[in-house]
Amino acid sequence: MAVIFILMISGVGIRAYRDLSRPEAWADWKDQHFSPTMTSSLVTSAGFNGGGRGRSALFITGTIGATSAAWFRDRLDEAHLAAGDTVLMSSPGGDLNQAMIMGEIIRSHGLATAVGVVDASGQVRPSHCASACVFVYAGGKSRYGLEGSMLGVHRCVTSTPGRDPVAETQRTTGMALSYMTRMGVSSSVVEAMSETRDVRWLSAKQAAAMNLVTDPVEKP
């Protein structure tokens, strides 16, 4: 029995070593199990819809990491949000593929999105959402535009080694366009992304014209 147990443990160790020997594996494992790149908290009364009664919101912040979509799905399950509740976010961006999956999850749950942070008193304040974060935000069935919050876009690029960077960038841009179209956002947002490698901060008027923001909200 002891020999069998040792062999079993050895097999697990070998598989773990093989998994972690991939260049990206350590980052994936760390993000999923040890030190997630994002954090969350539940806001019991956010009130983005302009009415006096606030609804629940899940506040997420940080960089979108290699396994953030799975992390986000777990946080949603724990929060028990209902359709019409809000995902509040503040992020500089991160992994584009993970961001799109997060946006799809938000849409499948019928949730709204907003950009902001929760201060020490529990109040929602303006913040920023840039790069891949905008794809998460686009997943909202309603997309609240909190006065003072900012949305930033830039060109879709890839750092995948061993591939044609031009072809890969074109593929990524096409994927971004398809995603935004499904979410009901104008193709002009992808055009704005394509114009610069640096973050371009959209004005409230521009974001509304692109249908990126669907419901402007006055600053609380």
Side-chain angles (χ1 to χ4, degrees):
M1 289 297 293
V3 173
I4 295 174
F5 177 76
I6 291 171
L7 290 174
M8 290 176 61
I9 294 298
S10 298
V12 171
I14 290 169
R15 287 195 298 272
Y17 173 78
R18 287 174 178 170
D19 288 343
L20 292 175
S21 66
R22 294 182 294 112
E24 71 279 11
W26 171 248
D28 291 359
W29 184 87
K30 181 181 178 182
D31 187 30
Q32 186 170 6
H33 299 291
F34 182 67
S35 180
T37 57
M38 305 195 80
T39 60
S40 69
S41 60
L42 186 63
V43 184
T44 56
S45 183
F48 296 105
N49 58 6
R53 295 181 304 170
R55 300 189 58 157
S56 295
L58 179 66
F59 171 52
I60 60 174
T61 185
T63 301
I64 301 166
T67 62
S68 287
W71 170 89
F72 176 63
R73 185 181 288 110
D74 289 343
R75 301 296 82 73
L76 274 184
D77 289 344
E78 294 169 357
H80 301 293
L81 297 186
D85 288 341
T86 304
V87 176
L88 177 69
M89 64 195 69
S90 175
S91 171
D95 189 299
L96 178 60
N97 289 323
Q98 292 291 300
M100 289 184 184
I101 296 171
M102 292 168 72
E104 296 279 11
I105 293 170
I106 289 170
R107 182 59 61 91
S108 70
H109 283 72
L111 301 172
T113 53
V115 177
V117 295
V118 182
D119 65 20
S121 66
Q123 296 297 309
V124 176
R125 302 300 181 198
S127 188
H128 66 278
C129 170
S131 187
C133 176
V134 174
F135 289 81
V136 183
Y137 174 80
K141 189 172 182 181
S142 294
R143 298 181 285 273
Y144 297 120
L146 182 63
E147 184 182 353
S149 285
M150 301 180 69
L151 293 161
V153 300
H154 65 78
R155 187 177 306 153
C156 296
V157 296
T158 179
S159 58
T160 305
R163 295 186 179 181
D164 182 341
V166 175
E168 189 64 14
T169 297
Q170 290 175 342
R171 185 194 70 82
T172 303
T173 300
M175 184 171 62
L177 178 59
S178 175
Y179 173 86
M180 287 297 187
T181 300
R182 291 199 311 276
M183 296 302 161
V185 181
S186 169
S187 61
S188 59
V189 71
V190 179
E191 295 173 10
M193 291 176 183
S194 301
E195 292 174 357
T196 177
R197 290 179 65 92
D198 299 321
V199 174
R200 171 185 171 184
W201 296 103
L202 303 175
S203 68
K205 184 176 181 180
Q206 289 171 327
M210 296 172 179
N211 206 40
L212 186 56
V213 169
T214 61
D215 296 87
V217 179
E218 293 183 1
K219 188 183 298 184

